[in-house]
Amino acid sequence: MPEAFLDSTVLIDLAFRHAMVGARAAAALSAKGSRITSRYVIFEIARGYFRNLLLLHNKSKAVNRFSELHEYVHSGQQIYRRYQSGTMLGAFDDYFAYLEALDGRCASEELLAEFRGWLSAHVRRGWKRLLNTADTINQVGCRPSLPEPTRRADGCYEQELVIEDCGKPDRCGLDHSLVRHHAEFEHVRQQLSKEDEIDNETHRRVQALGRLLQRASGTPFNGQDCYDCGDAFICHEAPKGSTVVSKNEKHFAPLCAALGKQLASYR
Amino acid sequence: MPSQFDNPVAREIELLLDAEGRNSLKDFLISEAKPAAFSESFQQNRYDLFIVQNRQDGAHDTFKLNLGSYSEEELYGLAKSPSVRFRREAARLLEYAKRILALAQAEVEFEHQATLLWSDIGRLTGFLGTSDELNEVVANLRVARAQFVARPTPRVVVQALADVLGLLQQNAWLGTTCVDTVLDLLEKAGVDLNYPLQFADGDA
């Protein structure tokens, strides 16, 4: 039976974006068979995308006004990817302006409470949807258990990801995976190196893959190297005969070509 | 010491109360009496105190103590709290939704009344900041409201609103499970709870 292997961009569209985006993703998947993804993809979303949502929610509990949340996001002091939260707050600016024209003006404290209320449910329900959107495989051996976010007594969310376990061979399955599939990953590294125009992301991937493959099995490695190679590992995890589905055609096309995988993309 | 009849304010009140027809004092008293009357008609469980006798032979006997009878709201310590006001508002909107559901979808009156219901839902902002759970409910009801400004409200959505309002007015304690049930009902009816994000993509 044909299968569609969903990468993080597609899973995010299906679990966290609005209905029109979800419908576009669903349409791209409609003829590809059953949906599967991997624990590695979910962990990548947890530490990349979802972590930002948790931080934004918890920060919304710490400030008193919606405008203060804006100040925080645009202050340049924060360490997470600015554009994601900025886009969400920008969307709510326009959304609140739309509601204001209908129902009258709200105080900035009320806007903050409303945003916080929406985001709190979005986080909780989005995580559940993320886990239920596709069947999950774990060829890499990444995180046998991944706790769901829990709400503390103060209303803040927390989720123990134990990122410091990344790169420890006794806690992480990537080491075994690299040994088993050494030749395939080396082939990927060589193919990516031959690309005419190598962007920063591909350059980091080639370098990180080289470091991971050169080290002796059983020795620790830098978790960031795993993160930089993410798309390569995801593409490799896709079962034979499945179609890799990603919005990131630019980076997945050479990976799928190197690994002999079929790719489907959409905008 | 002036008697009651020498007090001009008391005399004025008596005159207003005795006067035929409505006046500002009567309007005020009617508006104050309405919530109280509504509260009386609000069906809720009552709780009495009992004492249980545990006999040596293992048998039990129960005696009611005539120390008082408590409503759910009193027990939760929520009397006159925003949560109770929200339940009353939910009950009022539920009756509204039921009246709309009695109309045929094709009638103009259906859409007219649905528009008024949405408008009332849009003004639930007074409950924002009350609790995390109420924030979630109000925020997502307003998300639903925003989606049916520029298009007719399907009957299935009014039915979902009625179901949601029914749940909200029944539950003195609004926990996460109840909130998720409410949001599930809205989503099943076709409401996109991530609708505000469309404003980032220019799709709204």
Side-chain angles (χ1 to χ4, degrees), chain A residues 178-191:
Chain A
L178 288 168
V179 171
R180 279 200 311 274
H181 305 290
H182 190 280
E184 294 157 74
F185 286 124
E186 177 55 28
H187 176 67
V188 169
R189 192 189 68 79
Q190 288 175 10
Q191 292 301 307

Side-chain angles (χ1 to χ4, degrees), chain B residues 180-196:
Chain B
D180 278 335
T181 306
V182 162
L183 303 188
D184 285 343
L185 285 167
L186 291 174
E187 282 194 319
K188 277 179 190 161
V191 173
D192 176 13
L193 298 181
N194 291 334
Y195 174 74

Side-chain angles (χ1 to χ4, degrees), chain B residues 77-94:
Chain B
L78 294 174
K80 294 184 181 176
S81 76
S83 308
V84 174
R85 284 194 290 111
F86 184 78
R87 287 178 72 191
R88 288 191 182 125
E89 184 63 5
R92 187 183 74 78
L93 296 176
L94 171 61

Side-chain angles (χ1 to χ4, degrees), chain A residues 19 61 103 118 120 124-125, chain B residues 132 136 145 184 192-193:
Chain A
K61 300 285 289 184
D103 301 321
W118 177 83
S120 177
R124 186 177 65 249
R125 296 164 66 79
Chain B
D132 288 341
E136 290 189 19
R145 180 263 198 286
D184 285 343
D192 176 13
L193 298 181

Side-chain angles (χ1 to χ4, degrees), chain B residues 52-91:
Chain B
V52 178
Q53 178 192 41
N54 297 308
R55 294 201 201 107
Q56 285 185 334
D57 60 3
H60 306 286
D61 212 347
T62 307
F63 304 90
K64 183 178 176 185
L65 294 180
N66 290 322
L67 293 177
S69 177
Y70 302 92
S71 69
E72 291 173 359
E73 291 162 5
E74 286 166 330
L75 283 185
Y76 276 114
L78 294 174
K80 294 184 181 176
S81 76
S83 308
V84 174
R85 284 194 290 111
F86 184 78
R87 287 178 72 191
R88 288 191 182 125
E89 184 63 5

